[in-house]
Amino acid sequence: MAWPVITKDAAARAAASLPDPEAARRAFAWTDARAMLGGLPGGGLNIGHEAADRHVMEGHGAQVAIRWLGLDGTRRDMTYADLAGDAARFANVLAAQGLGRGTRVYSLLGRVPALYAAALGTLKGGMTFTPLFAAFGPEPIRARMEIGEGNVLVTTAALYRRKVAEWRAEIPSLRLVLIVDEGEPPEGCVALGPAMAAAPDRFETVPTRPEDMALIHFTSGTTGRPKGAVHVHGAILAHVATGRFALDLRPGDIYWCTADPGWVTGTSYGIISPLANRVTMIVDEADFDLERWYGILEREKVEVWYTAPTAIRMMMRAGKDAAQGHDFSHLRFLASVGEPLNPEGVVWGHEVFGKPFHDNWWQTETGGIMIANTAAMDIRPGSMGKPLPGIEAGIVTRDDGQVRECAPGEIGELALRPGWPSMMRTYLNEQARYDKCFAGGWYFSGDLAMRDKDGYFWFVGRADDLIKSSGHLIGPFEVESALIEHKAVAEAAVIGIPDETAGEVVKAYVALNPGFEPSETLERDIRGHARKLLGAAVAPREIVFRKTLPKTRSGKIMRRLLKARELGLPEGDLSTLETDER
Ligand code: ATP
Ligand code: MG
């Protein structure tokens, strides 16, 4: 089904932070983004400084930086002055231990205030910050600590006892464990609270240069073993500019990014970009809960909201009625990232919130948003939008070592011209793997996409997930989107399985909406629906019902796992696997 374009009127365009994306694409140079930042007083560029201290210096210390919503109903405000002070205290605590430049600090925390102070304090101190997702098991934490040669871990007593204590002695680089909660810390650990209370709330930011290492982010592990992407302080140029361009952020906005800082979205757009743009961020300690989320949007008067397809599909599954009676009138801009956003989700958002979701695309490797539906752009539901100013994207093939750009409508690999500031500088300890991402002057993303004649980019699937059936190239996203248009289907994952005549045929796994039960009749009905939308060559040959689909903890469907099981192959690295109820 061709979904109607969602157009923006002249007033909406004029009001956008990027009112004329085409003109900006022609005129913008990354050096222009420098004017969106302060820079260190004595020279140098530092993410921690730009996120907090700068605003205090410019007289905005009293503005709320973080409005923290605790699990138990606590609501606590931290101003920019509070945040800058706590970041300084954190940097001082480490300095008192002789730790500074080059030190690698890891966090293993839920979304608690200490996480934000630790992140910014680490960066101010010229150290490298690596956030880990608190729900990881002991082994994935140990592995990441080992690969990244972590020196400091900031965590809670409970997480330490359950997930770290058993292997700590095996990682000699790990010198210091800081415990954020009150009370006596476990043996061999230091209580962060009292140490911070005793530390000065001023710290002269280490004069980092743009090329100094700032962050190591592990990828989601959707396609295999997670990689450690290394990012530098200069990435702040992209963080600040893309927050403005792609998320329409303005100083003073009430902004909510639902991603956990254990993943790159939750750091780039859940800490750095919003703070650099001087918004007030909502931080919710709790996980997805429909009523809670609707309540937060309404009560906190959220203006800009950045979330993910998995959450959107969960809202859709609960139905429009569940949203009835809430006042979402403060919402100005809605965005989504992490997975392809089905066109139905875009349109559903428009109906329920009065604003469509704006899909955007990027990766851990790119450090920031690359392709986006921005506020002034008409939206073609199902499209990721267009490259942001400063980003040159292409659809490229590299058959037989030859690199060639594809024609409009032709599927190829989504590639980017290197040179934007937040590009990873290497994969930690995997230089060869990093080098392989480049050819013919392009960075190859590993995703397949196509560009239409008007320059909109359309996601097709991960290169690994592409299905080749009787000469057709089939992207799982297209098939999944068609499946979820069926009223019974909440989520779908599609893989190719070997077939003697066709090469591969399409097999689908679906999770059903409440009120529907698996049955042969329903399977036939869904297949019929898919055939009608997609044609017999592309529609799934077989549909299997599942309670849930296997997903990473960052909410991405792990098609490779479905395929490995289907074919009896090794399941590979499952360190980021979350749900998998069969
Ligand atoms: P790994 O590289 O370890 O397999 P991952 O690629 O899932 O994991 P991330 O860097 O967190 O790790 O995710 C980036 C990927 O997510 C993109 O390459 C793309 O496949 C997918 N993605 C992100 N945003 C979108 C989007 N808007 N549309 C389609 N796909 C998206
Ligand atoms: Mg990836």
Side-chain angles (χ1 to χ4, degrees), residues 219-224 227 337-340 359-365 384 447 459 462 556:
T219 60
S220 290
T222 314
T223 57
K227 300 146 272 190
V337 74
E339 279 207 304
D359 186 24
N360 58 54
W361 175 93
W362 59 291
Q363 311 177 296
T364 309
E365 289 87 340
M384 317 189 276
D447 286 340
F459 185 80
R462 308 228 182 198
K556 296 168 198 262

Side-chain angles (χ1 to χ4, degrees), residues 115-130:
L115 170 65
Y116 300 83
L120 300 186
T122 298
L123 294 164
K124 266 172 74 67
M127 301 171 277
T128 306
F129 186 66
T130 301

Side-chain angles (χ1 to χ4, degrees), residues 57 59 101 157 161 211 214 292 317 334 362 404 406 560:
M57 282 168 59
R101 249 190 206 277
R161 289 198 180 96
E211 282 305 308
R292 185 174 172 106
R317 192 173 185 164
L334 282 60
W362 59 291
R404 170 181 69 81
C406 298
R560 69 163 159 113

Side-chain angles (χ1 to χ4, degrees), residues 14 52 73 83 90 103 110 149 151 166 193 256 310 321 359 366 377 380 383 393 400 427 436 476-477 508 524 528 575:
L83 191 58
F90 185 85
T103 298
E149 296 170 69
N151 306 122
E166 64 192 68
W256 186 25
T310 309
D321 287 353
D359 186 24
T366 69
M377 276 168 62
R380 302 186 175 182
S383 161
D400 313 321
Y427 282 131
K436 263 202 217 139
F477 175 49
R524 256 199 316 278
S575 61

Side-chain angles (χ1 to χ4, degrees), residues 191-495:
L192 181 61
M196 279 187 42
D201 64 358
R202 284 182 187 262
F203 177 91
E204 195 177 329
T205 302
V206 170
T208 44
R209 293 170 310 252
E211 282 305 308
D212 287 347
M213 199 197 283
L215 299 147
I216 302 171
H217 279 300
F218 288 93
T219 60
S220 290
T222 314
T223 57
R225 190 167 50 82
K227 300 146 272 190
V230 172
H231 291 282
V232 297
H233 279 277
I236 183 70
L237 289 159
H239 294 143
V240 74
T242 56
R244 201 174 289 186
F245 295 159
L247 301 180
D248 204 47
L249 293 180
R250 300 157 200 191
D253 275 351
I254 308 280
Y255 166 75
W256 186 25
C257 169
T258 62
D260 188 272
W263 309 105
V264 73
T265 303
T267 305
S268 290
Y269 296 97
I271 305 180
I272 300 170
S273 173
L275 293 177
N277 277 296
R278 193 167 46 83
V279 309
T280 292
M281 306 201 295
I282 302 294
V283 172
D284 183 26
E285 191 184 13
D287 290 329
F288 177 83
D289 175 276
L290 189 79
E291 264 311 300
R292 185 174 172 106
W293 277 33
Y294 284 160
I296 290 173
L297 290 171
E298 176 172 356
R299 245 187 348 267
E300 302 301 339
K301 303 185 168 51
V302 173
E303 292 165 295
V304 179
W305 184 30
Y306 196 20
T307 189
T310 309
I312 296 168
R313 285 191 298 258
M314 285 199 271
M315 290 183 264
M316 290 165 70
R317 192 173 185 164
K320 282 180 192 148
D321 287 353
Q324 290 276 309
H326 287 284
D327 172 10
F328 298 126
S329 60
H330 289 89
L331 280 171
R332 186 183 82 231
F333 190 77
L334 282 60
S336 164
V337 74
E339 279 207 304
L341 178 61
N342 315 90
E344 196 182 1
V346 177
V347 173
W348 187 87
H350 202 191
E351 285 169 17
V352 170
F353 301 110
K355 303 277 180 325
F357 284 103
H358 294 71
D359 186 24
N360 58 54
W361 175 93
W362 59 291
Q363 311 177 296
T364 309
E365 289 87 340
T366 69
I369 301 170
M370 300 282 106
I371 297 178
N373 289 286
T374 64
M377 276 168 62
D378 291 343
I379 297 186
R380 302 186 175 182
S383 161
M384 317 189 276
K386 296 183 179 187
L388 290 180
I391 302 301
E392 186 184 347
I395 304 294
V396 179
T397 67
R398 45 174 166 177
D399 289 340
D400 313 321
Q402 288 292 349
V403 175
R404 170 181 69 81
E405 276 200 65
C406 298
E410 191 186 340
I411 294 173
E413 195 166 338
L414 177 53
L416 303 159
R417 288 277 187 214
W420 71 95
S422 63
M423 175 60 180
M424 67 166 164
R425 295 306 193 262
T426 188
Y427 282 131
L428 201 64
N429 307 334
E430 293 190 280
Q431 184 64 30
R433 189 171 191 178
Y434 172 81
D435 292 338
K436 263 202 217 139
C437 300
F438 299 88
W442 293 99
Y443 160 73
F444 285 79
S445 70
D447 286 340
L448 298 174
M450 64 125 179
R451 179 169 38 192
D452 67 23
K453 60 179 186 353
D454 303 314
Y456 282 82
F457 282 68
W458 300 77
F459 185 80
V460 171
R462 308 228 182 198
D464 296 354
D465 295 336
L466 192 73
I467 302 161
K468 298 187 184 96
S469 185
S470 305
H472 295 277
L473 290 182
I474 304 172
F477 175 49
E478 180 190 12
V479 183
E480 290 161 7
S481 290
L483 287 169
I484 77 161
E485 281 174 41
H486 188 285
K487 64 180 183 311
V489 178
E491 275 195 312
V494 160
I495 61 168

